[in-house]
C-alpha cells in the first residue's frame, strides 16, 4: 500500500480513501449518519485521536459521537476533509428521515461536499427539494456485507483516482464531475414506501402516507422515503439541473429469481463482473450461460420493464415476474448497452 501525493492510498489497481461513517444526534433530533473523508493517513490518525474522547469506542464503525453535527462538520473541514450526509432520506439515522426537515437546521450548507441518496431514492425524487439543487449526488453502497460492496457506485470524471481529484469532481470544477450515478431501483429499496409493523403491510403506491396505517389504523408506522420526500417537497415538479448526470437503475443479480450461487459463479467466471453482466453483456450471451428465462429477466431489468414489488419497513422489494414480451423474446437478439 502506497500513499498518493494527491491523497488516498493505492493498493494494486485500487485507490482507497480514508473515511468514517459517524453518528451524531443534535438536541431535539433523531440520530443522523455523516460521512467524513480525509486526505492522508496522518490526517485520519489525528482525527481519530480527536474522536476518541468523544465516543465510547472509536474502533467500531458508525459509532455515536457526542458532538453536534456542525461541530463535527467544522472539525472535518478544518482538517482539509470533506463531509457528506449519508443515505439522506432513510427513516432511521439520516438527515431528512430522523434529523430535520432541512439540512440547514443541522449543517453549514456551504461546507457540504455532496449528498448520498441511499437505496430508496433517486435523482428525480430528490429533485423535489430545492435545498438539494446545488449539491452533487453520490450513490454509494454501505460496506456492511462484502457481497454488497459496489452495489451502488458512481462513474467519475477525474484525471487520476485521488482524494484531490474527488474533491474537484464533487465541486464540478475544471472538467471533473460525476458522469453517472448507478443505483438500486428505488422500488427495491428497504424503505421506499411506508410500512406498518402492526398489520405487516406496505402502503399501496396509489395512496399517500398519513400519520396512521391506512389499513389497520395503527399510528406505529415506518415512514417510507417516497412519502417523506412528498411531505418535505417544496415544488410540485422535480427539478433536474443541467449538471445532474443520468441516474442508471440496477437490479442486482441477487434479486433475480432462479439465479443461484452456481449460475452466478458461472456468469462471473465468463464475464468478469456484475457490472458487465448488468449493463454490457448481450442477452444472447447471457442465455448461453443461464438460460433464456433468466437472461430475459436481466434484459428486462436493463430496459426498466421488469415488474417489481415495492420494498418498505426494512424489507427489500422483489422481482415480481418476467413480462410476457421479454419472455417471448428471451434468448434472441441483443440488448443495447446503456
Amino acid at each position: 500500500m502506497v500513499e498518493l501525493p494527491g491523497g488516498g492510498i493505492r493498493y494494486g489497481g485500487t485507490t482507497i480513501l480514508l473515511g468514517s461513517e459517524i453518528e451524531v444526534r443534535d438536541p431535539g433530533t433523531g440520530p443522523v449518519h455523516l460521512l467524513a473523508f480525509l486526505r492522508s493517513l496522518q490526517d485520519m490518525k489525528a482525527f481519530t485521536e480527536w474522536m476518541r474522547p468523544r465516543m465510547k469506542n472509536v474502533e467500531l464503525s458508525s459509532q455515536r459521537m457526542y458532538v453536534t453535527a456542525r461541530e463535527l462538520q467544522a472539525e472535518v473541514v478544518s482538517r482539509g476533509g470533506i463531509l457528506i450526509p449519508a443515505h439522506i432520506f432513510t427513516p432511521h439515522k439520516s438527515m431528512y428521515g430522523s434529523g430535520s426537515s432541512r439540512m440547514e437546521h443541522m449543517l453549514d450548507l456551504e461546507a457540504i461536499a455532496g449528498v448520498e441518496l441511499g437505496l430508496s431514492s433517486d435523482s428525480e425524487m430528490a429533485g423535489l427539494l430545492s435545498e438539494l439543487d446545488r449539491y452533487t449526488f453520490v450513490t454509494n453502497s454501505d460496506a456492511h456485507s462484502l457481497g454488497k460492496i459496489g452495489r451502488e457506485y458512481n462513474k467519475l470524471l477525474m484525471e487520476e483516482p485521488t482524494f484531490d481529484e474527488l474533491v474537484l469532481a464533487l465541486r464540478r470544477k475544471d472538467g471533473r464531475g460525476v458522469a453517472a450515478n448507478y443505483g438500486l431501483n428505488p422500488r427495491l429499496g428497504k424503505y421506499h414506501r411506508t410500512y406498518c409493523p402492526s398489520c405487516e403491510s406496505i402502503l399501496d403506491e396509489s395512496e399517500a402516507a398519513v400519520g396512521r396505517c391506512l389499513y389497520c389504523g395503527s399510528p406505529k408506522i415506518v415512514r417510507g422515503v417516497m412519502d417523506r420526500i412528498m411531505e418535505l417537497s417544496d415544488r410540485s415538479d422535480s427539478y433536474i439541473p443541467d449538471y445532474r448526470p443520468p441516474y442508471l437503475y440496477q437490479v442486482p443479480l441477487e434479486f433475480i429469481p432462479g439465479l443461484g450461487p452456481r449460475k452466478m459463479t458461472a456468469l462471473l467466471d465468463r464475464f468478469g463482473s456484475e457490472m458487465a453482466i448488468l449493463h454490457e453483456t448481450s442477452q444472447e450471451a447471457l442465455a448461453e450461460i443461464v438460460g433464456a428465462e433468466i437472461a430475459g429477466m436481466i434484459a428486462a431489468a436493463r430496459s426498466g420493464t421488469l415488474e417489481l414489488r415495492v420494498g418498505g419497513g426494512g424489507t427489500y422489494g422483489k422481482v415480481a415476474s418476467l413480462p410476457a414480451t421479454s419472455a417471448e423474446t428471451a434468448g434472441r437478439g441483443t440488448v443495447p448497452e446503456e
Side-chain angles (χ1 to χ4, degrees):
M1 303 182 81
V2 179
E3 286 206 74
L4 300 172
I9 296 174
R10 176 69 48 78
Y11 179 72
T14 301
T15 297
I16 300 167
L17 299 183
L18 297 159
S20 180
E21 183 176 2
I22 303 165
E23 182 176 308
V24 295
R25 187 168 187 171
D26 285 10
T29 74
V32 173
H33 280 191
L34 302 171
L35 303 172
F37 292 94
L38 293 161
R39 193 174 186 277
S40 70
L41 186 59
Q42 180 180 352
D43 292 334
M44 180 53 81
K45 286 181 176 179
F47 179 61
T48 300
E49 292 308 309
W50 178 83
M51 288 194 292
R52 193 178 299 278
R54 294 169 172 83
M55 60 174 56
K56 292 181 178 179
N57 189 344
V58 77
E59 307 298 335
L60 294 179
S61 67
S62 303
Q63 283 289 286
R64 167 83 178 276
M65 179 179 282
Y66 293 89
V67 299
T68 66
R70 286 181 184 272
E71 287 176 293
L72 174 59
Q73 181 186 36
E75 189 66 29
V76 171
V77 173
S78 71
R79 295 176 181 273
I82 56 175
L83 184 128
I84 298 174
H87 42 75
I88 57 173
F89 295 116
T90 52
H92 307 296
K93 302 182 178 182
S94 78
M95 180 59 63
Y96 292 119
S98 56
S100 181
S101 59
R102 294 183 65 84
M103 286 198 300
E104 66 179 354
H105 296 160
M106 298 184 67
L107 294 171
D108 176 1
L109 297 183
E110 300 297 327
I112 297 173
V115 296
E116 182 188 65
L117 295 183
L119 298 180
S120 298
S121 62
D122 58 18
S123 297
E124 185 172 357
M125 293 166 63
L128 291 170
L129 279 66
S130 61
E131 186 178 47
L132 298 177
D133 290 350
R134 70 169 82 180
Y135 298 114
T136 295
F137 294 163
V138 292
T139 42
N140 302 328
S141 55
D142 278 1
H144 293 295
S145 55
L146 184 61
K148 292 179 172 57
I149 293 177
R151 177 177 54 183
E152 299 211 332
Y153 54 95
N154 313 280
K155 183 178 182 180
L156 302 173
L157 297 174
M158 304 188 297
E159 286 195 354
E160 56 182 354
T162 65
F163 177 87
D164 292 346
E165 285 285 323
L166 174 64
V167 172
L168 289 175
L170 292 174
R171 293 175 178 171
R172 306 186 297 275
K173 299 290 187 181
D174 302 331
R176 279 73 159 182
V178 176
N181 296 119
Y182 288 81
L184 193 72
N185 188 309
R187 291 167 55 79
L188 292 174
K190 292 194 294 185
Y191 298 104
H192 184 61
R193 294 311 304 259
T194 294
Y195 173 80
C196 175
S198 297
C199 64
E200 299 183 343
S201 59
I202 295 176
L203 190 77
D204 184 84
E205 293 203 60
S206 63
E207 305 289 349
V210 291
R212 293 177 176 271
C213 175
L214 298 175
Y215 304 121
C216 74
S218 172
K220 297 180 180 180
I221 58 175
V222 179
R223 183 63 55 84
V225 166
M226 171 66 82
D227 304 293
R228 179 60 171 163
I229 290 175
M230 295 304 295
E231 178 184 342
L232 297 178
S233 63
D234 56 358
R235 51 168 65 119
S236 57
D237 296 319
S238 179
Y239 172 64
I240 306 296
D242 292 340
Y243 57 78
R244 192 76 72 213
Y247 191 105
L248 304 177
Y249 293 141
Q250 297 189 138
V251 177
L253 293 177
E254 65 176 307
F255 284 87
I256 302 297
L259 185 57
R262 184 180 61 81
K263 291 181 178 179
M264 178 84 80
T265 299
L267 283 172
L268 293 172
D269 287 346
R270 174 72 178 274
F271 303 114
S273 72
E274 185 162 354
M275 289 80 158
I277 296 165
L278 292 175
H279 298 287
E280 300 170 4
T281 307
S282 72
Q283 185 174 342
E284 185 177 47
L286 292 172
E288 292 176 0
I289 305 298
V290 295
E293 183 174 0
I294 291 177
M297 287 188 180
I298 296 173
R302 191 181 298 177
S303 64
T305 59
L306 195 62
E307 185 180 348
L308 305 176
R309 292 176 182 163
V310 70
T315 300
Y316 286 107
K318 295 181 180 180
V319 173
S321 63
L322 178 65
T325 53
S326 296
E328 292 167 359
T329 59
R332 298 201 303 269
T334 60
V335 176
E337 297 180 12
E338 293 201 45

